[in-house]
Amino acid sequence: SELIVADRYYPSSKTCHGCGHEQNIGWSEYWQCDGCGASHQRDDNAAINLARYEKPHDGDSVLGPVGATVKRGADRKTPTLGAGGEEAQRTLEVKPRDGVLV
């Protein structure tokens, strides 16, 4: 697989995922595209645009095809480790709870 990093200033929130029109939306959570009239929720729209984001090829558009699939999941890069230090070395004393050993 290949990691593609979108530019920090890529306008994913304010670019319509339907027609590609970019407009100033301020801090609005919901907005309507001036280009095609589609209604958008800011974070959902950004997620769709980022899922379709492709590395630009010599002047090509940054957005991928409209039918681009969203890849889900991530592979674990950092191994999970147990607790360390004195807390991990101590043995816990088991006490009965309400007369029942748990």
Side-chain angles (χ1 to χ4, degrees), residues 41-86:
Q41 195 277 339
R42 178 187 197 96
D43 294 338
D44 291 343
N45 183 63
I48 293 169
N49 283 332
L50 289 170
R52 294 178 179 170
Y53 186 86
E54 291 182 355
K55 192 183 333 182
H57 301 284
D58 299 329
D60 287 349
S61 171
V62 176
L63 286 178
V66 174
T69 59
V70 178
K71 295 182 181 177
R72 302 262 183 225
D75 51 3
R76 210 172 269 281
K77 301 281 186 214
T78 307
T80 55
L81 302 173
E86 293 177 18

Side-chain angles (χ1 to χ4, degrees), residues 95-102:
K95 297 179 181 177
R97 189 170 110 197
D98 296 331
V100 179
L101 191 62
V102 179

Side-chain angles (χ1 to χ4, degrees), residues 2-99:
E2 180 182 3
L3 173 65
I4 299 174
V5 179
D7 181 77
R8 178 179 182 173
Y9 299 103
Y10 173 65
S12 60
S13 295
K14 60 184 184 176
T15 302
C16 174
H17 72 265
C19 70
H21 175 74
E22 182 182 328
Q23 69 188 51
N24 186 6
I25 61 170
W27 291 102
S28 301
E29 184 177 352
Y30 296 93
W31 59 280
Q32 188 167 7
C33 177
D34 293 338
C36 66
S39 297
H40 299 291
Q41 195 277 339
R42 178 187 197 96
D43 294 338
D44 291 343
N45 183 63
I48 293 169
N49 283 332
L50 289 170
R52 294 178 179 170
Y53 186 86
E54 291 182 355
K55 192 183 333 182
H57 301 284
D58 299 329
D60 287 349
S61 171
V62 176
L63 286 178
V66 174
T69 59
V70 178
K71 295 182 181 177
R72 302 262 183 225
D75 51 3
R76 210 172 269 281
K77 301 281 186 214
T78 307
T80 55
L81 302 173
E86 293 177 18
E87 296 86 12
Q89 305 303 320
R90 278 189 269 152
T91 57
L92 296 177
E93 183 180 330
V94 180
K95 297 179 181 177
R97 189 170 110 197
D98 296 331

